[in-house]
Each structure stands twice: as C-alpha cells, then as structure tokens.
Amino acid sequence: TAGSGVTVDCSAGSVNECDVTLPALEDGKEYILTSYEYGGDARVEAARFLEQATFGVSLDAIDTLASTASGSSPDFTTWI
C-alpha cells in the first residue's frame, strides 16, 4: 500500500500465496497476524463475495452466482 512501507508480492504463481513485507517496528512493538478460514457451500461463498463486492445483495444474485459453482466455490470470474 502506497506510503505505508508494506509491500505485497503475489507473483510466485500460487493462487493462494503472496509474500508480504512489513516495515521494521520500534523496540517493544510487534505485529499480530490473524488468519481466518471461511467455509460453506457455494451459496454461502457467493453471499460473502457479493456482500463485499456490491452495494446490496439480493437472493436472486446469490442464487445466480452460486449456480456457477464447481464444488463449493462459485465462479467469481463469471460475475466480474
């Protein structure tokens, strides 16, 4: 992110992997990394995605996106 000293590099080729470099901290300070795993069926994943990507979600939009699923993950590129 510009000006923050944080760099993110996702060019390694892995879909789910990026390298993040954080600036050095003052003595006595530390970073805390929190990770979350989200799971659920295609409908849950579609709803979560649309909640973050739109100004409002409808049940029709969730069902439409969920119908593009291969396994439990919708095809987000189709929506974009």
Side-chain angles (χ1 to χ4, degrees):
T1 57
S4 68
V6 175
T7 60
V8 179
D9 178 10
C10 299
S11 64
S14 174
V15 173
N16 297 318
E17 185 176 320
C18 294
D19 291 320
V20 178
T21 304
L22 303 171
L25 293 173
E26 301 171 16
D27 287 340
K29 303 283 183 172
E30 64 183 23
Y31 288 108
I32 298 174
L33 178 63
T34 304
S35 177
Y36 298 95
E37 286 190 34
Y38 298 97
D41 62 13
R43 209 160 177 275
V44 171
E45 292 296 316
R48 189 166 98 55
F49 172 78
L50 292 171
E51 235 175 27
Q52 296 174 8
T54 66
F55 291 106
V57 180
S58 70
L59 292 176
D60 287 339
I62 293 170
D63 291 337
T64 300
L65 181 56
S67 73
T68 68
S70 173
S72 65
S73 186
D75 182 7
F76 299 117
T77 57
T78 299
W79 183 84
I80 296 170

